[in-house]
Amino acid sequence: MRTQVGIIGAGPAGLMLSHLLHLEGIDSVVLETRSRAYVESRVRAGVLEHDTAQLLADTGVGARMRREGLVHTGLELRFEGVSRRIDLAALTSGRGITVYGQQEVVKDLIAARLAAGGEILFDVTDVELAGIDSDAPVIRFAHEGTIRELNCLVVAGCDGFHGVSRGSIPASARRTVEHTYPFSWLGVLAQAAPSAHELIYAQHERGFALHSMRSPEVTRLYLQVPNGTELSDWPTARIWDELHTRLATNDGFTLKEGPILEQGVTPMRSFVTEPMRYGQLFLAGDAAHIVPPTGAKGLNLAVADVRFLAEALTTWFRQGRGTGLDEYSARCLRRIWRVQHFSSWMTGLLHRPTDADEFSHRLQVAQLEYVTTSTAAATTLAENYVGLPLDWSSRVDTPATPAVPFA
Ligand code: RFL
Ligand code: PHB
């Protein structure tokens, strides 16, 4: 088999890359270890940044998202029994988020690729990379009982945190920076109407809780739990009790309950591998970096990476100029570190630290008071949450002229 770009992984990064390349007339083949049914039903992210949603719409894969996705122009921060709204749209010149499940994005991208004659091989095994430091890389894999080879000019490693791509770069040619948090998230999907119109991020002395949603009939909820938590320790009644307690307000917020459809525990991690290129292998998405989910950024960062990569590959294939590919890693990493900071800051703002004392509690509340009352502080949260523009780091804001000149 032969193609221009061999893509490993049919998550949001790999599928979006294949779609963007197709729109530029560049061929790719996507290899995926899981089945189509599995990737289309894996419950993960739910929040699309303004520009991620816009990209789906602009490239012809946003029709269902525009119909079924929920556009939010604000979010709630809840602490000390009160709820304060951050008006995302007012603080960011009208930008917002779209709540639309990651598996729905994946379904829409798979459908678009297959309708356009794109090749996605599901259920592959034994994926191995060879010759990535040459101009003729090869991906070896097994499919339907046969060992096969995919010859390509470029390999895109979009195979998530547990994939093979990152480990194919010699250890001497990469470095990782990581941080593990002393807590995890217990996530549940419930057949219950959302209890509020917007997302609620709650700081509570018993730990963080999040109220999110997937549709007018389905709620997505998360609880901060200790690392090593087993689902068996959390019978349904305990989950609801804890959610009621942590999301309670002084004016009597009511959380609607319903049958739990799915549940899981996710560890919290910050992780970056640098650089994101080795020879003709380019890493994108979770294969290169992980952020804690408090900022709702992982999928959006994966999409930003492949936008940069698709643009650089287009210039390379069309004009033979490789400067975009040479700059790919540095360009991605500027955004990744901004998002790492935001995700870690949101995590610290809202979670109960394991060594929590009165002082750390008071600092958290002081910070929440500030973020929900100062326009400057709220704008920082809002512009990061809805997503900074793709070129944000190359723009230098002109300082505003003081209304009254200094004497
Ligand atoms: P994925 O989605 O992990 O896809 C990688 C794909 O590669 C396949 N694979 C292989 N294929 C071929 N050969 C191999 N050797 C392979 N090894 C693995 C895998 O089966 C898979 O299909 O990575 P990608 O595309 O980079 O996308 C990243 C996102 O999935 C991830 O960052 C987000 O889910 C993170 N995330 C959130 N991101 C947001 O932007 N907004 C959110 O609201 C949000 N909430 C979340 C989240 C992640 C969560 N969990 C469960 C980790 C909430 C949670 C609870
Ligand atoms: C979700 O709906 O799954 C979700 C929302 C916001 C987050 C993380 C996950 O910060």
Side-chain angles (χ1 to χ4, degrees):
M1 291 173 78
R2 185 169 294 281
T3 191
Q4 287 173 294
V5 182
I7 300 177
I8 308 179
L15 292 167
M16 189 49 140
L17 178 64
S18 179
H19 176 60
L20 294 175
L21 292 175
H22 164 71
L23 297 178
E24 297 294 345
I26 299 166
D27 286 336
S28 65
V29 172
V30 181
L31 305 178
E32 167 61 51
T33 44
R34 301 287 191 163
S35 67
R36 179 174 177 184
Y38 182 91
V39 300
E40 289 190 341
S41 58
R42 186 165 43 194
V43 179
R44 286 179 122 190
V47 172
L48 306 182
E49 290 179 355
H50 188 93
D51 285 356
T52 304
Q54 193 64 49
L55 179 72
L56 294 174
D58 289 348
T59 61
V61 285
R64 200 163 65 91
M65 174 199 69
R66 289 288 193 229
R67 274 198 316 277
E68 299 174 14
L70 309 167
V71 175
H72 287 188
T73 57
L75 60 80
E76 276 183 50
L77 292 181
R78 200 164 273 192
F79 58 104
E80 307 286 272
V82 295
S83 220
R84 302 248 176 92
R85 183 168 188 265
I86 301 282
D87 190 334
L88 297 170
L91 294 162
T92 63
S93 317
R95 291 156 73 85
I97 54 154
T98 301
V99 178
Y100 189 62
Q102 175 167 330
Q103 75 273 31
E104 308 305 327
V105 175
V106 164
K107 276 184 211 160
D108 296 345
L109 285 168
I110 290 175
R113 288 308 298 122
L114 297 180
E119 201 162 359
I120 308 173
L121 300 185
F122 292 100
D123 302 299
V124 304
T125 58
D126 306 307
V127 178
E128 273 177 28
L129 304 187
I132 47 175
D133 50 358
S134 75
D135 55 10
V138 180
I139 309 174
R140 295 204 180 89
F141 61 98
H143 188 236
E144 293 173 345
T146 316
I147 305 289
R148 300 178 71 176
E149 282 193 357
L150 176 61
N151 295 286
C152 37
L153 297 170
V154 169
V155 177
C158 303
D159 47 354
F161 188 65
H162 301 288
V164 294
S165 301
R166 188 175 62 252
S168 307
I169 302 178
S172 58
R174 64 184 151 98
R175 66 189 294 261
T176 56
V177 185
E178 71 185 301
H179 177 76
T180 306
Y181 297 81
F183 37 75
S184 305
W185 276 18
L186 169 65
V188 302
L189 196 67
Q191 187 68 51
S195 307
H197 294 303
E198 295 177 335
L199 270 66
I200 305 167
Y201 287 81
Q203 182 260 17
H204 191 274
E205 60 180 9
R206 296 182 59 82
F208 169 71
L210 171 61
H211 165 278
S212 179
M213 62 207 67
R214 286 294 176 273
S215 72
E217 296 85 35
V218 176
T219 310
R220 179 78 166 144
L221 299 143
Y222 296 97
L223 285 170
Q224 174 185 352
V225 291
N227 283 344
T229 291
E230 301 283 346
L231 279 175
S232 53
D233 297 337
W234 284 85
T236 307
R238 183 176 177 204
I239 294 176
W240 287 113
D241 278 355
E242 201 61 35
L243 285 164
H244 282 290
T245 305
R246 297 191 195 178
L247 288 165
T249 58
N250 299 337
D251 57 6
F253 169 77
T254 315
L255 178 67
K256 292 181 189 138
E257 293 191 17
I260 290 183
L261 307 171
E262 199 263 355
Q263 55 189 322
V265 176
T266 309
M268 309 270 281
R269 184 186 280 124
S270 297
F271 176 96
V272 180
T273 190
E274 301 172 341
M276 288 165 61
R277 174 189 191 171
Y278 178 74
Q280 290 301 84
L281 169 66
F282 296 83
L283 301 178
D286 278 15
H289 43 77
I290 298 285
V291 285
T294 329
K297 288 284 166 240
L299 180 158
N300 294 293
L301 211 44
V303 169
D305 288 351
V306 299
R307 289 182 86 163
F308 290 140
L309 187 53
E311 195 184 299
L313 285 170
T314 303
T315 311
W316 188 62
F317 279 114
R318 288 236 185 100
Q319 299 159 20
R321 278 197 296 119
T323 43
L325 290 178
D326 294 342
E327 287 162 9
Y328 167 72
S329 176
R331 207 174 167 199
C332 289
L333 286 163
R334 273 196 294 278
R335 187 178 187 87
I336 291 161
W337 279 108
R338 169 86 299 279
V339 168
Q340 285 291 358
H341 173 266
F342 176 67
S343 303
S344 156
W345 176 79
M346 283 282 281
T347 302
L349 180 69
L350 293 158
H351 288 71
R352 181 185 161 86
T354 31
D355 57 353
D357 57 11
E358 184 64 16
F359 182 69
S360 64
H361 173 68
R362 293 295 184 93
L363 287 185
Q364 238 177 8
V365 172
Q367 178 73 348
L368 282 158
E369 287 280 359
Y370 181 53
V371 160
T372 54
T373 47
S374 151
T375 305
T379 304
T380 294
L381 190 154
E383 71 173 3
N384 281 275
Y385 194 79
V386 302
L388 290 163
L390 212 56
D391 64 347
W392 71 276
S393 63
S394 54
R395 297 186 328 177
V396 180
D397 283 346
T398 317
T401 314
V404 180
F406 295 113

